């Protein structure tokens, strides 16, 4: 089956410092999966941050970037300079597109980012 | 656009009782998904519908759990004879195209089984 492993627990970063949240995936599918980062801000629902559906491509949104690396099966989330408003829980997710009817997402356990001023 | 609506937001049941959770997807979205979130297991897929038809229920516990989508405007997740281990946040999501995977999540229903 599919699995996603990401930096677990809580990460604390000072404002204006850089951030990286690691994500690696495993799939038994012969097709390369679609990869996503979702985010849950305090008091809000889970929402899509960025997605990449082509291996080797980079996705970006709100200053965050993630590159789909099929060799290392990784999709790390990075930001050069975090802000207090980035404090949230971040989830890496995989979508297996090998099956014609299988659209479910497999999520990592989530990483809580706290940005201190 | 109100987004995905889930009701109730919180539900407390006694062990052995039935719980029904409701989801109203975004209008025009053809796919509806149910997930369950716990601290131990994280976010787990339960089941999904496309154009109201059940497509994949591989994540549903085989006993006591059932899901339906009687019309395009709502879906229900029913848990019979609830157990303490069913306590979780149940998330509903909808998508305009299931193959695109861009899912829009509701706020969730927190189920507590005493």
């Amino acid at each position: 089956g599919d699995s996603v492993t990401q930096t677990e627990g809580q990460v604390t970063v000072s404002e204006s410092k850089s951030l990286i949240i690691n994500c690696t995936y495993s799939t038994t599918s012969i097709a390369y999966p679609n990869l996503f980062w979702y985010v849950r801000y305090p008091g809000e629902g889970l929402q899509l941050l960025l997605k990449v559906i082509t291996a080797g491509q980079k996705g970006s949104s709100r200053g965050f970037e993630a590159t789909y690396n099929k060799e290392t099966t990784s999709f790390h989330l990075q930001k050069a300079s975090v802000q207090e408003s980035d404090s949230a829980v971040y989830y890496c997710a995989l979508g297996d597109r090998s099956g014609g009817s299988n659209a479910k997402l497999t999520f990592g356990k989530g990483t809580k980012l706290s940005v201190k001023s | 656009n109100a987004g995905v609506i889930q009701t109730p937001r919180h539900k407390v049941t006694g062990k052995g009782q039935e719980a029904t959770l409701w989801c109203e997807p975004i209008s025009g979205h053809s796919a509806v998904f149910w997930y369950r979130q716990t601290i131990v297991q994280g976010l787990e897929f339960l089941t999904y519908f496309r154009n109201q038809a059940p497509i994949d229920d591989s994540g549903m516990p085989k006993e006591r759990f059932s899901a339906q989508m009687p019309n395009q405007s709502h879906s229900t997740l029913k848990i019979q004879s609830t157990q303490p281990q069913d306590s979780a946040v149940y998330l509903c999501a909808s998508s305009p195209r299931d193959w695109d995977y861009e899912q829009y999540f509701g706020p969730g229903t927190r189920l507590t089984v005493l």
Side-chain angles (χ1 to χ4, degrees):
Chain A
D2 299 330
S3 67
V4 175
T5 302
Q6 65 178 99
T7 303
E8 286 198 22
Q10 182 163 321
V11 173
T12 301
V13 180
S14 297
E15 200 165 26
S16 79
K17 297 298 184 184
S18 64
L19 166 75
I20 182 165
I21 299 177
N22 292 324
C23 172
T24 57
Y25 66 88
S26 172
T27 178
T28 55
S29 170
I30 59 173
Y32 293 119
N34 296 334
L35 298 175
F36 305 81
W37 278 100
Y38 278 82
V39 59
R40 178 183 280 136
Y41 296 103
E44 299 184 17
L46 197 61
Q47 56 186 278
L48 179 67
L49 177 62
L50 58 86
K51 68 177 182 181
V52 179
I53 63 173
T54 304
Q57 297 294 310
K58 180 168 68 177
S60 61
S61 175
R62 306 179 203 179
F64 289 89
E65 295 181 339
T67 300
Y68 187 156
N69 189 322
K70 63 182 175 64
E71 282 78 28
T72 59
T73 62
S74 66
F75 192 55
H76 307 319
L77 183 67
Q78 302 182 74
K79 189 172 187 181
S81 175
V82 298
Q83 304 170 350
E84 211 166 338
S85 57
D86 294 325
S87 295
V89 182
Y90 293 81
Y91 296 88
C92 186
L94 173 157
D96 180 356
R97 58 185 179 182
S98 62
S101 64
N102 190 350
K104 68 182 181 184
L105 292 173
T106 300
F107 286 89
K109 291 285 183 70
T111 304
K112 184 175 182 179
L113 171 65
S114 295
V115 178
K116 58 180 184 180
S117 55
Chain B
N1 193 331
V4 175
I5 298 172
Q6 290 189 250
T7 54
R9 294 293 307 276
H10 304 272
K11 186 170 182 68
V12 180
T13 65
K15 182 179 176 180
Q17 292 183 329
E18 182 177 287
T20 300
L21 312 181
W22 293 71
C23 171
E24 181 179 331
I26 294 172
S27 176
H29 282 193
S30 63
V32 172
F33 303 81
W34 285 96
Y35 295 85
R36 174 170 65 178
Q37 184 169 27
T38 62
I39 292 183
V40 174
Q41 297 295 331
L43 261 163
E44 302 175 287
F45 167 81
L46 294 175
T47 187
Y48 101 89
F49 298 85
R50 182 200 300 142
N51 295 324
Q52 300 172 234
I55 301 299
D56 182 349
D57 66 354
S58 60
M60 290 278 273
K62 294 311 175 190
E63 298 179 358
R64 303 187 296 105
F65 282 65
S66 63
Q68 294 184 331
M69 191 161 184
N71 56 59
Q72 63 185 7
S73 63
H74 88 272
S75 174
T76 58
L77 180 67
K78 183 179 293 186
I79 309 171
Q80 296 179 312
S81 185
T82 54
Q83 303 297 310
Q85 61 265 31
D86 299 331
S87 296
V89 176
Y90 290 84
L91 293 170
C92 177
S94 70
S95 176
R97 305 163 299 275
D98 56 352
W99 48 263
D100 196 22
Y101 298 102
E102 186 159 348
Q103 297 178 18
Y104 296 78
F105 284 80
T109 295
R110 180 176 296 277
L111 175 67
T112 302
V113 182
L114 302 176

